[in-house]
């Protein structure tokens, strides 16, 4: 069996490596002319993402580039600690990775394993076993895997009525900093602050750290539209928005040079993508289940889906493999998308909802049992187990 993977982001290279381990030859076609070197902010790889990578002997890829995240400390705008949560102690900790380094590391690992990548190949059409790219070239395979992200062309080609991404009411910003002298070390913990007007996350370590902000904004903005405003202007607005919050937000923003600011535009998700496969085409990663960054799970779920699809194709005929893959994955990913959407409403809360949130949050955090988060993280994949259809 031969497979074509559309998209060389996260899900794409992982799928190609997992398919190779399943004995299926896969080639990756990426629209951009290179990997995402130097582009984007931070991502978390959750324990479930790490164990999924281990299933294809690629756990070291993120271990090498990641900073452990021992937990997440939730704070109110007053600096008051509302609670803390993290991965269960028996699982490996979350890792904080920089998006560009993750893309590069996955690409390098896949190339090392002999996977072929073709860059500058933007998918435009699928006709049976044949795919066509914008440059007029074509390729043929038995299976076509759409790993082309939240604005997936593959998704639209197999279902022209597929829903468009939904705006969460928040714009995303972030920066990676080296100048951290005099700031308190957060000891491998990410601090998450429900500020008076916006949400702020930061982690400060020895010589390296970073922050991100989610700014409520009524109208959606693409990354390109947001960048037109100008980075210096966004830094000014963010410093203004966080000025009353008793956390180091303003100080971290002040230390950020305009060219260090990453402007990602509106946070988006799709609650449910109705069609995951049609004929010989199947979707994985954000193409199938785009969750907003607030889940901290988008990359990990993309890795899980890539690995699970390869197991299904290894053990079942194509149509049954696609059906079983969807059966294994849909409930889990949609539950996480829903949870992240709830977090987004908390982050984008208006003045009245914000007061209620700040009053209720400490109690809710106290009552939350670790098991209410653990199901996301504790999700082992037994690579060797045979995938069988339900009886
Ligand atoms: C600001 C921000 C912060 C985030 N934070 C986190 C986090 O902390 N933790 C987390 O787990 N996730 C996070 N995410 C989500 C995470 O980035 C995605 O879930 C993840 O990248 C999905 O991987 P993917 O491979 O499916 O898609 P992508 O990484 O988007 O890759 C898709 C690839 O397909 C290519 N492509 C697109 N169209 C075509 C085409 N027509 N032909 C060929 N190639 C094409 C693209 O160029 C791209 O390289 C965040 C996302 C954003 C935007």
């Amino acid at each position: 069996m031969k497979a074509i993977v559309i998209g060389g982001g996260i899900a794409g290279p992982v799928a190609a490596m997992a398919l190779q381990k399943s004995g299926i030859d896969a080639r990756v076609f990426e629209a951009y002319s290179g990997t995402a070197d130097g582009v984007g902010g931070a991502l978390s790889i959750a324990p479930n993402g790490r164990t999924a990578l281990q299933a294809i002997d690629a756990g070291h890829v993120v271990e090498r580039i990641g900073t452990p995240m021992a937990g997440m400390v939730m704070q109110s705008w007053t600096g008051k600690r509302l609670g803390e949560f993290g991965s269960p102690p028996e699982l490996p900790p979350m890792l904080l990775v920089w998006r560009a380094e993750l893309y590069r590391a996955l690409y390098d690992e896949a190339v090392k394993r002999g996977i072929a990548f073709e860059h500058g190949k933007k998918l435009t059409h699928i006709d049976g076993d044949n795919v066509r790219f914008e440059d007029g070239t074509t390729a043929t395979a038995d299976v076509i895997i759409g790993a082309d992200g939240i604005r997936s062309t593959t998704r639209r080609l197999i279902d022209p009525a597929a829903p468009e991404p939904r705006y969460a009411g928040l714009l995303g910003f972030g920066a990676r900093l080296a100048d951290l002298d005099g700031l308190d070390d957060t000891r491998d913990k990410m601090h998450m602050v429900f500020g008076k007007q916006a949400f702020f996350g930061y982690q400060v370590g020895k010589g390296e750290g970073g922050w991100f902000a989610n700014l409520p904004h009524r109208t959606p903005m693409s990354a390109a539209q947001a960048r037109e405003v100008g980075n210096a202007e966004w830094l000014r607005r963010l410093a203004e928005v966080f000025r009353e919050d008793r956390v180091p937000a303003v100080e971290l923003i002040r230390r950020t040079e305009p060219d260090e600011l990453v402007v990602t535009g509106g946070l988006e998700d799709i609650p449910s993508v109705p069609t995951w496969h049609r004929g010989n085409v199947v979707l994985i990663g954000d193409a199938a289940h785009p969750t907003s960054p607030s889940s901290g799970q988008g990359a990990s779920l993309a890795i899980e889906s890539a690995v699970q699809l390869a197991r299904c194709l290894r053990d079942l005929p194509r149509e049954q493999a696609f059906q079983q893959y969807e059966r294994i994955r849909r409930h889990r990913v949609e539950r996480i998308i829903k949870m992240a959407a709830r977090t987004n409403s908390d982050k984008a809360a208006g003045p009245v909802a914000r007061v209620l949130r700040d009053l209720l949050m400490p109690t809710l955090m106290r009552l939350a049992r670790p098991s209410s988060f653990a199901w996301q993280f504790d999700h082992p994949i037994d690579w060797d187990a045979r995938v069988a259809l339900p009886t």
Side-chain angles (χ1 to χ4, degrees):
M1 190 189 277
K2 284 197 184 329
I4 281 175
V5 180
I6 304 295
I10 298 172
V14 175
M17 290 189 274
L19 289 164
Q20 186 189 54
K21 194 170 157 124
S22 293
I24 299 166
D25 177 37
R27 274 185 303 159
V28 182
F29 293 85
E30 164 58 43
Y32 280 100
S33 53
T35 62
D37 285 352
V39 182
L43 284 176
S44 62
I45 301 292
N48 47 298
R50 294 184 64 180
T51 45
L53 279 175
Q54 283 160 7
I56 57 158
D57 319 307
H60 61 278
V61 175
V62 285
E63 280 152 31
R64 226 175 14 226
I65 58 168
T67 306
M69 216 199 282
M72 290 186 194
V73 179
M74 311 304 288
Q75 288 175 272
S76 72
W77 70 272
T78 60
K80 183 177 164 196
R81 197 184 163 94
L82 302 171
E84 183 174 334
F85 65 92
S87 350
E90 65 279 12
L91 295 177
M94 279 181 243
L95 291 177
L96 186 70
V97 298
W98 296 94
R99 181 174 174 264
E101 289 179 9
L102 176 63
Y103 281 38
R104 164 56 66 181
L106 289 171
Y107 170 78
D108 286 346
E109 179 68 18
V111 169
K112 204 165 86 191
R113 296 182 186 201
I115 309 273
F117 279 73
E118 292 199 39
H119 285 105
K121 297 287 174 190
K122 185 169 184 191
L123 172 81
T124 52
H125 293 85
I126 301 177
D127 185 7
D129 293 350
N130 202 264
V131 298
R132 185 142 39 93
F133 301 104
E134 203 174 48
D135 64 2
T137 58
T138 58
T140 306
D142 309 298
V143 172
I144 297 157
I145 299 171
D148 47 352
I150 188 162
R151 295 189 190 285
S152 168
T153 301
T154 318
R155 184 201 301 137
R156 193 169 35 74
L157 290 174
I158 63 169
D159 179 10
E164 291 297 317
R166 170 180 75 169
Y167 175 54
L170 297 158
L171 300 181
F173 304 88
R176 179 182 200 172
L177 296 182
D179 168 21
L180 301 162
D181 286 354
L183 289 170
D184 287 342
D185 193 321
T186 58
R187 297 178 189 286
D188 287 342
K189 290 188 180 171
M190 174 70 79
H191 286 241
M192 307 272 209
V193 185
F194 286 99
K196 265 198 148 177
Q197 297 184 54
F199 188 83
F200 193 79
Y202 65 100
Q203 183 161 339
V204 173
K206 284 174 197 65
E208 173 156 279
W211 61 268
F212 72 90
N214 297 150
L215 178 69
H217 196 266
R218 202 179 295 278
T219 46
M221 268 183 153
S222 68
Q225 286 168 330
R227 279 181 208 126
E228 273 172 28
V229 173
N231 288 8
E233 172 60 15
W234 280 123
L235 286 170
R236 192 196 63 73
R237 288 191 203 174
L238 289 169
E240 174 68 18
V241 160
F242 291 110
R243 72 186 188 286
E244 290 184 76
D245 297 341
R246 295 181 212 141
V247 292
V250 171
E251 181 55 26
L252 284 161
I253 292 167
R254 195 187 61 74
R255 290 183 190 213
T256 307
E257 294 297 329
D259 62 359
E260 290 173 318
L261 183 70
V262 179
V263 179
T264 48
L267 271 59
E268 294 176 322
D269 69 3
I270 300 182
S272 179
V273 170
T275 307
W276 279 24
H277 54 91
R278 173 153 297 160
N280 58 339
V281 186
V282 63
L283 306 176
I284 57 172
D286 274 9
H289 42 72
T291 171
S292 79
S294 297
S295 71
Q297 280 282 358
S300 299
L301 295 181
I303 295 167
E304 281 181 11
S305 285
V307 172
Q308 293 289 32
L309 175 66
R311 285 184 63 234
C312 292
L313 282 166
R314 177 193 65 188
D315 296 342
L316 296 169
R318 190 179 69 199
E319 184 54 29
Q320 290 177 357
F322 288 177
Q323 284 166 2
Q324 185 59 9
Y325 154 70
E326 182 172 352
R327 224 174 265 135
I328 295 174
R329 300 296 298 152
R330 188 180 273 283
H331 176 70
R332 170 172 170 77
V333 298
E334 290 186 354
R335 194 173 165 198
I336 289 176
I337 294 171
K338 203 167 172 184
M339 278 180 63
R342 253 182 261 134
T343 307
N344 285 337
S345 328
D346 281 342
K347 288 178 175 179
V352 178
R354 211 181 300 141
V355 172
L356 271 176
R357 177 197 72 199
D358 292 350
L359 276 174
L360 292 175
M361 181 105 26
T363 314
L364 293 177
M365 289 291 298
R366 234 185 0 260
L367 294 177
R369 282 163 303 166
S371 57
S372 49
F373 302 105
W375 65 269
Q376 290 182 58
F377 303 132
D378 192 3
H379 188 72
I381 296 178
D382 182 352
W383 176 264
D384 294 322
R386 237 189 125 60
V387 180
L389 290 174
T391 46

